[in-house]
């Protein structure tokens, strides 16, 4: 059975930055890039795709699945490499 998430499980960029000890500005930039590029993860069942960034009342939220966090961390690391 698929895990059921509530609205409180979805993270804001600030909450995500605190959880992973990353600067908020980097997370906001990565969220914007992920949203523009439609970054997605595969569903556990059915193999469909889900975008890792959702919009809730005009604000961006990050999906609570571990795969979504891994994907966003990868985007943050790629952005760090381009800044140097």
């Amino acid at each position: 059975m698929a895990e059921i998430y509530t609205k409180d499980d979805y993270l804001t960029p600030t909450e995500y930055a605190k959880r992973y000890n990353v600067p908020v500005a980097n997370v906001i930039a990565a969220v914007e890039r992920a949203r523009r590029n439609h970054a997605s993860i595969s569903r556990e069942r059915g193999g469909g795709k889900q975008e890792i960034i959702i919009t809730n009342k005009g604000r961006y939220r990050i999906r609570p699945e571990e795969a979504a966090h891994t994907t966003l961390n990868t985007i943050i690391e790629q952005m760090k490499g381009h800044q140097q």
Side-chain angles (χ1 to χ4, degrees):
M1 187 170 141
E3 193 168 344
I4 298 174
Y5 296 106
T6 64
K7 186 171 87 172
D8 293 333
D9 294 328
Y10 290 77
L11 300 175
T12 65
T14 304
E15 293 169 339
Y16 185 90
K18 286 180 185 176
R19 178 178 283 185
Y20 290 100
N21 198 22
V22 179
V24 176
N26 291 359
V27 175
I28 291 171
V31 164
E32 194 61 40
R33 180 176 284 185
R35 186 192 62 79
R36 274 195 322 260
N37 295 338
H38 302 284
S40 58
I41 57 173
S42 295
R43 291 184 183 172
E44 291 178 14
R45 294 178 172 225
K49 297 281 186 176
Q50 289 182 320
E51 291 191 19
I52 64 171
I53 306 300
I54 63 165
T55 304
N56 183 11
K57 296 182 181 180
R59 296 189 176 135
Y60 299 126
R61 303 280 181 181
I62 303 159
R63 295 192 66 81
E65 292 93 346
E66 189 62 35
H69 294 186
T70 302
T71 303
L72 193 60
N73 281 334
T74 303
I75 293 170
I76 291 170
E77 290 301 317
Q78 288 172 353
M79 291 175 70
K80 282 183 185 177
H82 291 316
Q83 290 176 355
Q84 294 176 353

